[in-house]
Structures are given as structure tokens and as C-alpha cells.
Amino acid sequence: MAEKLIRQLIDDLDGKPIDDGFGDRIEFSYQGTDYVIDLRATNAEKFDAAVKPFVEAAAKVSGKRGKKGQAASPQATSGSGRSKETLQAIRDWAGKNGYEVAPRGRIKAEIIDAFDAAH
């Protein structure tokens, strides 16, 4: 007898299923506590839009110190905040311009920067 296991990611905010390639795992820190949340693309875009003004006003640090003085890992970015259509356009452009880009998941910041510079 064969058995097939299916792993389904669920949006932590609204409980809806996340289709393959259309979600983000966002890691962030707030007041010394690290968090991770899995979000569908629409909720990830809302998250990005909500934190954008704070991120733009904040000073970027290479690492931070925990309460006990131990260095913590740098804060991960939360994504590009771009629509699915724009992300697909970036993937298409990258492939045509010699960049190696996966068909799903996060796009490297250097590729997004190159796309922005070309447009």
C-alpha cells in the first residue's frame, strides 16, 4: 500500500491555505523578541506596507545585542512588498538578462535592485 503525505502551509494571520510559491515566511524582531510568521502573498504585502514607514525611518544595524549582551543574528528582511505580477515581471526580466532566479520563493535583493535600476 502506498502512502502520500501532503504538507500544506497555513497563513498564520487568517488561517487560509498558502498555495505553493505564493507565501512568505517573515522573520522579524520587536523589543528584543524574535518572531516568525507564515503569510499568504496578500497578507505579506500588508505586513510590508505596515512596517515600511518604520523601517525607512530606522537605522539599520549589522547585529543587535540581546538582553544578556550576546550578539544576536541580524534581522531578516520581510520581503519586497511587490505584487505577484511585479514579482513575475522581475523573474522574467532576470531570466532574460542572465540572472539565475527560482520560479518561486524569494528573489535575491541584488536581482530586484538590478531590475529597479534597469527600469
Side-chain angles (χ1 to χ4, degrees), residues 78 103-104:
S78 60
R104 62 181 201 187

Side-chain angles (χ1 to χ4, degrees), residues 31-44:
Q31 296 196 355
T33 302
D34 296 327
Y35 299 89
V36 63
I37 189 169
D38 294 318
L39 298 173
R40 293 181 304 120
T42 54
N43 284 334

Side-chain angles (χ1 to χ4, degrees), residues 60-65 71-75:
K60 191 173 190 176
V61 294
S62 61
K64 61 182 181 176
R65 298 264 170 210
S73 61
Q75 181 174 346

Side-chain angles (χ1 to χ4, degrees), residues 59-91:
K60 191 173 190 176
V61 294
S62 61
K64 61 182 181 176
R65 298 264 170 210
K67 290 185 178 181
K68 296 184 180 181
Q70 297 174 341
S73 61
Q75 181 174 346
T77 58
S78 60
S80 67
R82 298 172 192 243
S83 69
K84 288 187 278 188
E85 293 80 13
T86 301
L87 293 174
Q88 187 58 53
I90 293 171
R91 288 179 200 287

Side-chain angles (χ1 to χ4, degrees), residues 24-35:
D24 281 310
R25 171 163 284 175
I26 299 173
E27 297 178 22
F28 62 99
S29 295
Y30 180 69
Q31 296 196 355
T33 302
D34 296 327
Y35 299 89

